[in-house]
Amino acid sequence: MKKFFGKTPADYVASCGRCLDVIFDEKSPDDKVARSFSKLEKNLKDMTIILYGDGEKPVDPNKITKLIREFRQSNLVTRLVMNIHELGFEVPKSLSKILCFWLHDKSTYNDAIGYFTVNPQLIPHLIRHFEKEEVSLPSANIVKEALIHPQLLKPALEEKGGALVFKVLDYVALKDVAFASEAYGMLDAIINCRLSKDQNISADMQKEHLKLVAKWLEKNKTAFWKKVHTFMEPNGAHLMMEQMLKLVYQILKTHRNYYVMIDYINDPNNLTRIMKLLRVPNKKIQVMAFNVFKIFVANPKKEPAIVEILLPNREKIQNFLKSIGDDDELDGKFEDDLEVLKEQLKELKALDKKPKEDNKSSEQPKSEPTKNESVEGQK
């Protein structure tokens, strides 16, 4: 049996505190700081074994309870988080495992929510220091685990008018793919409550989470869409374009975002943007753009400006969709959606039968492209 099992959770927490005292004391000799770093790393690794086990014997629920109590009653977690960007690589890595356990496990996450609630500076600090290489992954993991909880999401969305969400979007724009992907993971957790099947995310949690996001999107939709659309230029990076199209689709099809969705699909600029992406020579992007495009077409109360774009391009759109549907890699669900969309496009023919005089009486200068923005079939 490993020696650390002879130490109590209180011993570990106290020892970590003493190590931090030495590390951040400017008068400490370098060799003493190095020893304290090593001891801090070992203590935190030992604590992760208390929480997760070592593969040799089952975890001790009593020790887990005591360790969590020590976290709650001390300022160790706050000190570690607020200095995470100065603690190298191994310390943030172990800290992430500890906090993810605390925030995720059903028996402990209420304690964690309480702790983070009375220390609201922790989540913003992790997000603001995400760009530092040593802490990007640990920080992202903690943030993703924390912000699925509505009690922690609410203050994060409210801080400085939602500045944290836009900060995460700035990180998504980073050229380094690894950083950008982790940043997108944070954004997805914030907007979509990590919609994967997770027994620790109750239906009530998800409902309240999406309610908060819907309220935030309604208030910040103009600035949010403007930022998101910067990733959706036809000549942009395909990976982020695909991810953002997926995000847009998730937002538009979420029932609680109904008014945000209606506002979005009534804007002809948005339709033109999505139609351009249907032409990008990348099958995944075409499929994701199609998912968004079909929401525009399915709207039974289309604005005249939307009809003015769809109507002249109806046949070209149908031919283009047929070219997508011929791909053997697409599943049956996609093929069904294609058939439904084709039928909806056919219904636009009825609008062609209106007397031209009626159209002339209400005709206004068009600011949106029509035929020039048509969707051409892939060759």
Side-chain angles (χ1 to χ4, degrees):
M1 184 180 294
K2 294 184 179 181
K3 184 177 179 181
F4 65 80
F5 279 109
K7 296 174 71 172
T8 68
D11 292 335
Y12 282 116
V13 171
S15 177
C16 287
R18 291 191 294 270
C19 290
L20 290 174
D21 290 340
V22 173
I23 291 170
F24 293 111
D25 184 350
E26 294 180 357
K27 298 179 181 179
S28 298
D30 291 346
D31 59 338
K32 190 174 182 180
V33 170
R35 289 195 300 271
S36 294
F37 251 115
S38 296
K39 191 171 184 179
L40 178 63
E41 290 174 359
K42 184 179 185 307
N43 283 336
L44 290 172
K45 284 182 180 178
D46 288 350
M47 284 191 277
T48 64
I49 294 176
I50 291 176
L51 298 174
Y52 292 95
D54 62 356
E56 296 178 6
K57 60 177 295 183
V59 297
D60 182 345
N62 187 46
K63 280 196 172 183
I64 291 176
T65 300
K66 289 180 178 178
L67 183 57
I68 296 301
R69 185 174 65 236
E70 292 298 325
F71 289 154
R72 187 178 67 244
Q73 294 178 349
S74 72
N75 68 345
L76 176 63
V77 168
T78 297
R79 294 182 71 187
L80 289 169
V81 170
M82 296 305 291
N83 293 287
I84 191 171
H85 53 292
E86 299 182 46
L87 293 172
F89 177 77
E90 291 299 329
V91 170
K93 182 178 172 183
S94 294
L95 177 62
S96 173
K97 290 180 179 179
I98 290 168
L99 293 186
C100 285
F101 180 96
W102 194 12
L103 286 158
H104 186 77
D105 188 81
K106 275 189 173 181
S107 65
T108 65
Y109 68 55
N110 283 329
D111 273 341
I113 290 170
Y115 188 91
F116 277 79
T117 299
V118 298
N119 293 281
Q121 73 276 25
L122 300 184
I123 297 300
H125 184 81
L126 289 169
I127 291 175
R128 292 188 186 110
H129 287 86
F130 166 82
E131 200 168 353
K132 187 170 183 180
E133 184 176 0
E134 294 88 342
V135 302
S136 59
L137 180 58
S139 294
N141 287 338
I142 297 168
V143 170
K144 286 186 287 187
E145 204 62 65
L147 295 188
I148 63 170
H149 298 288
Q151 302 96 315
L152 302 181
L153 176 67
K154 188 173 186 292
L157 291 177
E158 291 175 348
E159 176 165 306
K160 297 181 180 179
L164 289 180
V165 179
F166 292 104
K167 186 68 174 175
V168 173
L169 276 164
D170 287 339
Y171 291 141
V172 177
L174 293 174
K175 292 183 179 180
D176 188 291
V177 175
F179 278 99
S181 296
E182 286 300 327
Y184 178 81
M186 287 195 290
L187 181 66
D188 186 51
I190 292 169
I191 300 298
N192 292 320
C193 189
R194 200 176 62 209
L195 293 175
S196 59
K197 294 180 179 179
D198 188 328
Q199 62 180 359
N200 285 356
I201 302 177
S202 68
D204 287 342
M205 284 173 62
Q206 190 174 107
K207 182 178 178 181
E208 183 61 25
H209 183 114
L210 296 177
K211 180 179 178 181
L212 290 170
V213 172
K215 183 178 179 180
W216 185 88
L217 285 172
E218 180 65 32
K219 186 177 180 180
N220 297 277
K221 58 189 176 186
T222 301
F224 179 76
W225 289 132
K226 182 178 180 181
K227 192 73 175 178
V228 167
H229 288 157
T230 62
F231 299 93
M232 294 166 58
E233 295 298 327
N235 59 348
H238 284 185
L239 176 61
M240 281 301 110
M241 193 186 306
E242 179 189 342
Q243 297 281 46
M244 284 301 169
L245 279 166
K246 181 179 178 181
L247 182 75
V248 172
Y249 177 59
Q250 288 284 358
I251 291 172
L252 297 184
K253 78 183 188 73
T254 298
H255 178 70
R256 286 195 173 274
N257 298 329
Y258 175 79
Y259 293 107
V260 172
M261 180 269 291
I262 290 296
D263 182 77
Y264 191 88
I265 65 174
N266 281 335
D267 187 336
N269 291 318
N270 294 334
L271 175 58
T272 299
R273 181 176 291 104
I274 298 303
M275 289 172 68
K276 286 181 179 179
L277 296 184
L278 284 169
R279 298 198 305 247
V280 172
N282 179 291
K283 188 63 66 177
K284 288 183 178 180
I285 290 173
Q286 289 176 343
V287 170
M288 291 310 305
F290 165 81
N291 285 335
V292 178
F293 177 71
K294 69 185 181 184
I295 300 176
F296 286 87
V297 179
N299 180 15
K301 298 181 180 179
K302 299 177 185 66
E303 291 290 318
I306 298 296
V307 176
E308 287 175 4
I309 295 174
L310 291 175
L311 197 54
N313 295 302
R314 185 183 64 252
E315 292 184 5
K316 290 183 178 180
I317 294 171
Q318 287 176 323
N319 291 336
F320 176 73
L321 295 178
K322 185 179 183 301
S323 72
I324 299 180
D326 290 339
D327 194 321
D328 294 335
E329 295 180 6
L330 299 177
D331 59 25
K333 176 64 169 61
F334 186 86
E335 292 176 354
D336 292 342
D337 286 344
L338 276 174
E339 290 305 313
V340 172
L341 191 60
K342 289 174 184 177
E343 291 302 315
Q344 290 168 335
L345 286 169
K346 287 179 182 178
E347 293 176 5
L348 289 173
K349 288 183 178 180
L351 298 174
D352 270 339
K353 297 177 181 179
K354 289 186 176 182
K356 293 184 178 180
E357 292 77 13
D358 292 346
N359 291 332
K360 288 181 180 180
S361 64
S362 60
E363 189 174 5
Q364 296 179 354
K366 298 177 184 178
S367 58
E368 292 303 319
T370 55
K371 293 184 179 180
N372 289 336
E373 292 298 338
S374 64
V375 180
E376 300 291 342
Q378 298 297 318
K379 295 182 179 180

